[in-house]
């Protein structure tokens, strides 16, 4: 049996999906039916995920700029921890 290159998690963790692709774009909402001048920047993210059976699905979400900045800080923290391993 071939060893997996994916690191194993502890027994308490359960991985239900594998990240296949990560796409993002910066957008700007400029108006809506209820507001003529929004000028609302956001980050749109599309994740391509494969479940345990191999079925691939796309999940998408949007974040405000403060939400994205928090997301980014958390990933920097993860990267710093990984550097110590």
């Amino acid at each position: 049996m071939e060893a997996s290159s994916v690191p194993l998690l502890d027994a308490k963790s359960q991985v239900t999906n594998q990240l296949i692709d990560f796409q993002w774009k910066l957008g700007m909402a400029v108006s809506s039916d209820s507001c003529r001048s929004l000028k609302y920047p956001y980050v749109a993210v599309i994740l391509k995920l494969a479940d345990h059976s191999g079925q691939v699905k796309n999940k998408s979400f949007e974040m405000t700029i403060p939400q994205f900045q928090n997301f980014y800080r958390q990933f920097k923290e993860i990267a710093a921890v990984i550097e110590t391993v």
Side-chain angles (χ1 to χ4, degrees), residues 3-61:
S4 174
S5 62
V6 177
L8 298 175
L9 300 175
D10 64 50
K12 295 178 187 173
S13 300
Q14 292 185 353
V15 175
T16 57
N17 294 298
Q18 179 181 7
L19 179 64
I20 304 298
D21 192 25
F22 179 96
Q23 297 177 11
W24 64 273
K25 67 179 178 179
L26 181 61
M28 175 74 79
V30 293
S31 66
S32 74
D33 62 346
S34 61
C35 183
R36 286 188 166 202
S37 180
L38 286 175
K39 296 182 182 171
Y40 172 74
Y42 63 91
V43 176
V45 176
I46 299 174
L47 303 176
K48 185 180 282 190
L49 305 168
D51 67 15
H52 64 279
S53 70
Q55 184 176 5
V56 176
K57 293 183 179 180
N58 289 331
K59 300 289 183 180
S60 61
F61 58 94

